[in-house]
Amino acid sequence: MNDNKILVVDGMALLFRAYFAQSYSPRRLEDGTPTNAIYGFLQYLFDAVNQFSPTHVVCCWDMGRKTFRTELFADYKSNRPDAPEDLIPQFSLVKDIVAALKIPNIGLEGFEADDCIGTISQKISGLGQVYILTGDQDMLQLVDERIHVVIMKKGRSNYAIYDLDFLKHDKGVQPFQVIEMKGLTGDTSDNYPGVKGIGEKTALKLLTEYNSIDGILENLENLPKSVKEKIEADLEMLHLSRTLARINTEVPIDCSLDECLWGVNLETASDLFEKYKMTSLLKLIS
């Protein structure tokens, strides 16, 4: 087996986390363009590179709010506020900087970054160990023998690294059961309800006993009356919520391993960071 180690970055997750962590920062270019979130994004990125020593890096992005999930359920993520006004101009600029560092930017309209991450990770996991850098626990469904999910915790360089064993130990589930849990409980941050009245504790108990939603439905008559009634009353939403929760790993995108080979040219990087007034970051990659 080869020694490739591929870091797949959830770009939007890092950028939003960086924005709120750096909200106090007045960083701006001479024309007034804010760069505080970009600065924090690059800190997080370089911290992870130093921590995991990847041979390859690729970055995935959302490409707008409308996706196949909003087609299925109009209220999907409708509770999300608009992006802060001073973050909006940083969306395109951060991608320009990522591209200048020779890191591919991957995204496709109609799909979320999660779907691109899932697709790329599964395609390249046969070529090396994959580490998905994110703050989104939905990604835990992607864990397998070759794919690790690195959840960013509070502070820099503070991670929970999920493999199959740690996922079972920490969450009590197998990867596919992450989807089943969401089908049962819904997801308030993504604004879909699951089965009304079923919380995580009950969902985990049901999945421990019956393994999957299909297994639960096959054993409805064995469930406590109140649980059975709740599931029967919300069957349609149960199935829809599971569909919304499932990451699509067949997005029509591609990225060859050669394209995402990690290796920053320090001379080029120096010019780049001088241009964007971020030279203090050079020490993280030199």
Side-chain angles (χ1 to χ4, degrees):
M1 184 57 68
N2 56 55
D3 296 323
N4 290 325
K5 187 183 285 187
I6 306 124
L7 184 68
V8 181
V9 178
D10 184 347
M12 209 62 83
L14 261 68
L15 189 66
F16 270 86
R17 178 180 288 261
Y19 173 80
F20 289 108
Q22 297 277 337
S23 59
Y24 61 86
S25 172
R27 289 184 176 276
R28 291 181 181 274
L29 300 180
E30 290 179 0
D31 64 1
T33 302
T35 58
N36 56 327
I38 297 170
Y39 186 89
F41 171 94
L42 291 170
Q43 280 185 323
Y44 290 144
L45 173 61
F46 296 154
D47 285 346
V49 166
N50 290 329
Q51 177 86 9
F52 299 102
S53 301
T55 55
H56 300 77
V57 181
V58 59
C59 194
C60 295
W61 301 93
D62 292 326
M63 301 296 287
R65 286 195 171 189
K66 290 186 177 181
T67 68
F68 73 93
R69 292 183 180 86
T70 55
E71 294 294 324
L72 291 171
F73 185 57
D75 287 336
Y76 181 76
K77 290 191 176 181
S78 64
N79 57 335
R80 298 283 181 95
D82 292 336
E85 188 174 340
D86 58 340
L87 178 57
I88 293 172
Q90 300 184 68
F91 287 153
S92 58
L93 183 54
V94 71
K95 292 178 188 176
D96 291 344
I97 294 174
V98 166
L101 292 171
K102 306 301 183 184
I103 300 172
N105 288 304
I106 303 293
L108 185 65
E109 288 188 8
F111 299 92
E112 295 182 53
D114 298 25
D115 305 307
C116 296
I117 289 167
T119 299
I120 291 293
S121 296
Q122 289 196 359
K123 281 186 175 182
I124 62 180
S125 63
L127 303 174
Q129 294 285 339
V130 174
Y131 289 79
I132 298 171
L133 181 66
T134 184
D136 184 356
Q137 302 219 6
D138 289 351
M139 299 285 190
L140 296 177
Q141 64 186 267
L142 298 172
V143 171
D144 66 18
E145 289 87 353
R146 308 285 298 165
I147 300 174
H148 311 73
V149 174
V150 180
I151 298 292
M152 301 175 68
K153 302 176 74 176
K154 188 174 182 180
R156 287 174 54 189
S157 300
N158 185 17
Y159 312 107
I161 305 169
Y162 286 87
D163 58 13
L164 289 169
D165 288 340
F166 186 57
L167 178 60
K168 185 65 176 178
H169 170 77
D170 191 53
K171 303 293 185 183
V173 296
Q174 301 175 61
F176 82 91
Q177 290 175 320
V178 173
I179 305 167
E180 308 294 276
M181 283 284 289
K182 296 281 187 177
L184 289 162
T185 66
D187 187 323
T188 55
S189 67
D190 287 343
N191 202 43
Y192 59 89
V195 177
K196 191 177 298 183
I198 299 289
E200 286 192 11
K201 185 176 179 181
T202 299
L204 183 57
K205 183 178 179 181
L206 290 170
L207 291 173
T208 300
E209 188 162 358
Y210 300 111
N211 194 50
S212 67
I213 287 173
D214 293 340
I216 293 167
L217 295 179
E218 289 169 3
N219 289 275
L220 277 178
E221 298 307 319
N222 299 324
L223 303 183
K225 182 181 178 182
S226 63
V227 174
K228 176 176 179 288
E229 289 175 348
K230 289 171 183 175
I231 291 175
E232 288 178 331
D234 258 341
L235 269 178
E236 185 176 348
M237 185 52 70
L238 170 65
H239 290 298
L240 177 58
S241 294
R242 179 166 59 170
T243 297
L244 294 172
R246 183 180 293 112
I247 290 173
N248 185 337
T249 58
E250 297 182 355
V251 178
I253 53 174
D254 205 4
C255 180
S256 72
L257 211 55
D258 289 344
E259 289 178 78
C260 49
L261 188 66
W262 171 254
V264 173
N265 181 306
L266 285 178
E267 184 176 338
T268 302
S270 296
D271 293 341
L272 179 69
F273 290 135
E274 179 69 34
K275 176 181 178 181
Y276 293 110
K277 302 184 183 303
M278 298 183 185
T279 52
S280 60
L281 292 173
L282 286 172
K283 65 181 182 293
L284 296 177
I285 54 172
S286 58

